[in-house]
Amino acid sequence: MPLPAAAAQDADVQLVDAPLLDQDGNAIRFASEAVGEHIVAINFVYTGCTTLCPLTSATFGKVQGRLKSGPTDDIRLISLSLDPGTDTPARLKDYAARHHAGPGWLWLTGRRGEMEQVLKGLGAYTADFRNHPPQVLVGDGQSGQWTRFNSLPAPDRIRQELERYRAARRRD
Amino acid sequence: MTERLRRLLGALLLAAVTGPAVALTPLEIQGKELYFGATGRPLKAYLAGSSEPVDAAAVPCAGCHGEDGRGRSEGGIVPGDITWSSLTKPYGHSHGAYRKHPAFHERSLAAALARGIDPAGNALDPVMPRYVLGRNDLAALTAYLKRIEADPPAGVAAGRLRLGVVLPLAGPQEPAGRDLLALLSTYVEELNGRGGIYNRRLELVIAEAAADRRQTLANVRRLISVTPVLAVIAALVPAHEAAVAETLDRSDVPLIGAVADFPAAGARNGFYLAEGLPERLLALLDRISAGGSGSPPGEHRDEATRLPDRPRLAVVHPAGTDYRPLLEALDAAAADKGWPRPQRWQNVADSAESVADAVIFIGSETELAAWIAARPAVALPPYLFLPVGAAAGDALFDLPGAVADRLLIAVPFPPIDPAGGRSSELSGWQRRAGIGDRSRYAEMLGLGAIQVLTEGIKRAGADVSRRKLVAALEELRQFDAAPLPSLGFTPARHIGRSGTAWIAIERERRRFREIDGAGGTP
C-alpha cells in the first residue's frame, strides 16, 4: 500500500534576523547568517522529544548523507529548537551528535522571546511545544521562495525540493 | 566501625545480592534491548516513503510507545498501546473512524513491524518506521512485549526502590566515606520506618569509588544493569568523577552528584548541588581585584599587607590533563585584569624558587597540608587561597598558624555555624547515625543530596522511573535541603545553587568563620 505523499505547498515566511546560538555556542543571526544566501531545509525539534523529533532528525540525517556526495556549500540544514528554555547549545550538540550531524547542519537555540519571533515568522510557533505538528520548510535565501511540508516528508522528497531550488538558480 | 554501622552494612550487602522477584529470561532481555534501542548491533529501520535505512537505535520502540509500552501522544501523533494484553484484546481495535482491525497475534505483529500493516491489512500511521528484524530478534521482541507489563522500571519493584551510592571506602577519603554511608543509611532507615515512599522501602546499593579508575567504573556499571538502581548519589567521588558521571549519563541513570570539580554541562541525567571549580576560581579572582574584599583572610592582618594592584599569582595544581582548561581559563581571566600570567607550580621545588604574592591551591585540605609540610623552609607568600568543593574538614585546624592565618577558603555553601539553627539539623543526624563531626562538610552535602533525591522520587509519583525522576528534578524550585540553603533546578540548568562562600580559619576556637555574609543564590 502506498504511503500518503507529504503534501507540499508554497509558503509565505518572514525571516526574522534575531540573534541566536548554534550548537557550539556561537552567536549567529537567523535571517542574515544562518539562512543567508543558502538553500535551506528547516525542521523543528526539542531535545526532550522522543517521538517525532528522532524521526525528523533521522530524516535530515539521510538528507545530509546524500548531500555529502555533491557540492554542499550552497545548501544548509537547520534544526530550530522549540524548547529554548531547556535546549542549551551543549544539549543540542549532544543531540546532534546522536544523529551524526555534520558541518552544514546548524542546531539553533536562543532566548525564549527571540526564538518565538523566529518561529512565528516561519509559521511554526505553537504555544505548547509538546504538541507541535510535524513540519519541514525548504527554501532559498536568495530568491525568498519557500515550500512548506505539513507532515513528515521522506528524505528523498526533501532532497528533490532542495535540488529543485538549486536548479531554479541555474536557470535564472 | 560502630556496631550500628556494622549492622547497617550487613543489611545493605543483603540488599545488593537479592535480585528482582522474577528475572527476565535471556530472550526477554534481548527483546528489551531491542525495545530500548540498546543492542549495540547495527539494525535497520525504514522511515515512511524512504528507500534508505536509518539506524534502528535512533528510532527505538520506547521512543514513541514509552518505557511501559502504553504509548503517549506527542506532536499530534498518538502511538498505540503495544503491551501484549492490549494488542491481543479479543475485540480488536478501532483507531478513529477510519481504521479498525482484529486482535494482533504473533504473525500479524511481524507484519506490522516489517511491512507497516495492521491485522486487517490497513497501513499503520506513516510515522511508524518499518524494522528489519531477524527471526530470533523478532521472537525476542515479541517475548518482551508479552512481559513488559510485569517488567517494572530499573530499580523499582512492588515493595522497594533501589538507590546507588558511590563512595570511597579506602584511602585518605575513607573516614568521610564511612561517615557519609552511616548518615545516608540512617536517613533511609528512618524514612522506611515512616513507610518509605509510596509504601516502597528504599534500599541502598554501594559502589566503591576506588583509587583505580577501571575498578571504579566496573563498580558503577553494576548499578546500571547487574543490580539496577533508580538513581545514584555520588556525594563524594574523589577521583574519576567525570568518568563516573559520563558512564551513568550514557545509560540514562539519574545522578545526584553533590559537588563536583567539573559538573558536566551537557549532562541530561546529572544534577549537582553547586557549581564547579572554574566558577569558584573566577569568583576568587574577582574578589581579589575588587580590592578591599580581596584582602585578608586571617583576622590578624592589616591594610599594610593588602595585595598589590597587579598581584603575581601562582597556582599549585594536580598533574593530569583534566585541569588544563581550568588553568587556561585562569590565565585568560588574569590577562583580562591586566595581571601577570599566573605561575604554575606543579611540585614543591617550583615554589621554592619563585616569588608570588598569592598562591591558589587546587586540591583538598589534606593535600594542602602535605604540600606545606614538604615545602622547603622559605617564606610563604602572604596569601593562600583554597577554592574547594567538598572540604573544610578538621585537618584545616591543625595547619601551622602561619598557614592558617594566610588562608582564605572558597566553598559552594557556607559552613554551619555551631551556634546557629542549621547546626542542630546536622547534629541530630550525626547523633542518630552514631558519627562524629570530623567530616562535617561532606555530611552536609550528603544530607542535601539524599533530600533532593527523595523529594524528586516523591514528586515523580508512584509510577516513578529514571526518566520521570529526571523530569521531576528539573521542576524542583526553592527546595529547602536543610542544613543547606534552598536550591533548585531547571531543565536547562542542573546546578542547584550559584555563588561562593568565603571562610577563614579560627585556629584557637577550632572553627570556621564566614566572611561577608551568606554565599550563594539558588
Side-chain angles (χ1 to χ4, degrees):
Chain A
M1 167 173 285
L3 288 150
Q9 57 192 72
D10 290 344
D12 188 13
V13 307
Q14 302 290 323
L15 298 179
V16 178
D17 204 27
L20 306 181
L21 294 169
D22 71 11
Q23 68 268 36
D24 292 311
N26 299 316
I28 182 166
R29 287 194 166 269
F30 179 67
S32 58
E33 292 172 347
V35 176
E37 302 277 287
H38 298 92
I39 294 167
V40 297
I42 302 176
N43 69 8
F44 306 90
V45 300
Y46 62 99
T47 60
C49 161
T50 60
T51 52
L52 211 49
C53 311
L55 294 170
T56 48
S57 301
T59 300
F60 265 38
K62 283 287 130 195
V63 176
Q64 170 188 252
R66 175 60 63 87
L67 291 174
K68 271 182 189 156
S69 55
T72 60
D73 286 351
D74 55 341
I75 291 184
R76 238 180 206 177
L77 305 180
I78 300 178
S79 292
L80 285 172
S81 169
L82 293 165
D83 182 16
T86 297
D87 292 341
T88 57
R91 254 173 119 123
L92 282 176
K93 191 175 175 126
D94 178 63
Y95 197 80
R98 275 185 273 158
H99 292 284
H100 313 289
W105 188 351
L106 292 172
W107 297 70
L108 304 180
T109 185
R111 281 200 292 272
R112 207 182 292 266
E114 268 144 0
M115 273 322 273
E116 200 177 304
Q117 292 309 312
V118 169
L119 294 173
K120 279 181 174 161
L122 297 174
Y125 177 76
T126 41
D128 176 11
F129 62 82
R130 285 182 191 83
N131 268 315
H132 68 106
Q135 232 186 80
V136 173
L137 286 166
V138 180
D140 185 341
Q142 277 180 12
S143 69
Q145 307 271 308
W146 290 82
T147 310
R148 186 189 309 276
F149 295 92
N150 282 312
S151 62
L152 182 58
D156 287 332
R157 187 70 192 83
I158 298 174
R159 264 191 320 248
Q160 281 169 16
E161 199 63 15
L162 287 165
E163 291 298 343
R164 194 175 68 77
Y165 277 105
R166 191 186 252 168
R169 276 192 184 182
R170 288 197 205 100
R171 274 202 308 277
D172 290 344
Chain B
M1 194 187 289
T2 64
E3 185 48 41
R4 181 182 172 78
L5 180 54
R6 205 185 305 277
R7 188 161 50 81
L8 282 170
L9 274 176
L12 292 166
L13 293 177
L14 190 69
V17 292
T18 45
V22 185
L24 296 181
T25 65
L27 191 66
E28 287 165 349
I29 290 172
Q30 184 187 335
K32 183 173 184 174
E33 287 168 353
L34 287 161
Y35 187 85
F36 284 92
T39 61
R41 290 179 281 136
L43 291 167
K44 289 177 188 168
Y46 289 87
L47 306 178
S50 172
S51 53
E52 275 178 72
V54 299
D55 179 8
V59 287
C61 316
C64 290
H65 298 282
E67 47 194 1
D68 56 7
R70 296 210 176 89
R72 59 212 163 76
S73 69
E74 186 175 76
I77 58 172
V78 189
D81 182 337
I82 55 168
T83 58
W84 195 249
S85 63
S86 168
L87 288 176
T88 56
K89 275 181 190 159
Y91 43 85
H93 289 251
S94 50
H95 299 272
Y98 305 102
R99 187 157 71 85
K100 286 188 171 64
H101 61 81
F104 273 93
H105 45 73
E106 294 190 10
R107 285 246 306 279
S108 52
L109 176 66
L113 286 163
R115 293 190 283 137
I117 53 170
D118 70 20
N122 304 307
L124 300 175
D125 190 307
V127 299
M128 167 75 185
R130 281 155 294 141
Y131 295 89
V132 183
L133 296 175
R135 188 192 296 262
N136 184 259
D137 277 341
L138 189 60
L141 184 59
T142 308
Y144 185 64
L145 291 180
K146 291 177 180 174
R147 180 63 193 270
I148 189 166
E149 282 174 283
D151 182 34
V156 180
R160 65 152 175 75
L161 285 173
R162 215 190 257 148
L163 305 177
V165 183
V166 183
L167 281 172
L169 293 173
Q173 296 260 45
E174 177 182 348
R178 300 270 173 207
D179 287 350
L180 211 46
L181 178 55
L183 182 75
L184 296 175
S185 304
T186 304
Y187 187 92
V188 161
E189 198 177 63
E190 291 192 10
L191 187 63
N192 287 340
R194 296 193 301 270
I197 299 178
Y198 298 121
N199 287 321
R200 290 194 183 105
R201 290 178 53 78
L202 266 56
E203 288 175 7
L204 298 182
V205 184
I206 314 302
E208 184 180 352
D212 178 58
R213 174 192 164 97
R214 198 188 301 173
Q215 183 61 51
T216 303
L217 291 184
N219 295 345
V220 166
R221 280 196 204 98
R222 297 182 66 82
L223 303 178
I224 297 169
S225 52
V226 181
T227 43
V229 297
L230 175 66
V232 171
I233 290 185
L236 201 61
V237 185
H240 325 304
E241 62 168 46
V244 167
E246 198 194 320
T247 300
L248 291 170
D249 200 44
R250 222 181 302 124
S251 298
D252 290 331
V253 182
L255 165 71
I256 311 295
V259 169
D261 277 355
F262 305 104
R268 282 168 291 138
N269 307 287
F271 294 82
Y272 299 87
L273 301 184
E275 292 173 316
L277 198 48
E279 285 83 1
R280 273 191 297 289
L281 204 55
L282 296 181
L284 175 59
L285 260 60
D286 285 343
R287 188 184 167 90
I288 295 171
S289 69
S293 60
S295 67
E299 49 190 324
H300 311 299
R301 330 205 106 224
D302 52 41
E303 284 298 302
T305 56
R306 275 191 51 174
L307 276 170
D309 287 341
R310 298 179 66 246
R312 293 162 300 173
L313 301 179
V315 54
V316 181
H317 61 92
T321 52
D322 283 5
Y323 290 86
R324 201 169 292 155
L326 181 73
L327 297 171
E328 281 159 13
L330 179 68
D331 287 354
D336 261 4
K337 297 181 189 297
W339 299 352
R341 184 168 176 268
Q343 304 162 54
R344 295 180 188 176
W345 293 353
Q346 221 187 73
N347 52 49
V348 172
D350 287 343
S351 62
E353 292 171 14
S354 316
V355 182
D357 299 311
V359 172
I360 299 171
F361 191 91
I362 295 174
S364 70
E365 71 269 37
T366 41
E367 286 160 335
L368 172 64
W371 181 75
I372 295 288
R375 220 171 158 273
V378 292
L380 274 171
Y383 292 92
L384 283 170
F385 298 113
L386 183 66
V388 283
D394 286 0
L396 285 165
F397 300 128
D398 299 322
L399 289 171
V403 176
D405 287 348
R406 286 170 159 78
L407 192 59
L408 180 68
I409 306 166
V411 284
F413 296 105
I416 295 174
D417 176 2
R422 288 189 297 137
S423 173
S424 60
E425 182 78 28
L426 179 62
S427 57
W429 283 110
Q430 287 173 333
R431 197 177 55 249
R432 299 198 293 281
I435 54 173
D437 208 26
R438 64 182 175 182
S439 328
R440 187 186 309 109
Y441 205 78
E443 290 162 16
M444 259 172 67
L445 299 173
L447 206 45
I450 185 89
Q451 289 178 91
V452 163
L453 177 54
T454 48
E455 179 69 15
I457 294 171
K458 286 176 198 163
R459 294 191 188 193
D463 56 349
V464 63
S465 65
R466 287 170 173 173
R467 199 172 51 74
K468 286 175 184 155
L469 175 60
V470 167
L473 288 168
E474 287 181 336
E475 299 300 321
L476 201 64
R477 310 268 194 280
Q478 295 282 328
F479 176 64
D480 181 20
L484 299 182
S486 74
L487 45 85
F489 305 104
T490 71
R493 188 163 166 84
H494 286 191
I495 303 283
R497 197 173 171 90
S498 306
T500 302
W502 308 96
I503 53 180
I505 297 171
E506 293 183 13
R507 285 175 64 235
E508 303 78 13
R509 300 167 66 184
R510 294 187 72 79
R511 52 172 266 183
F512 298 110
R513 181 167 51 86
E514 191 180 357
I515 296 173
D516 55 44
T521 47

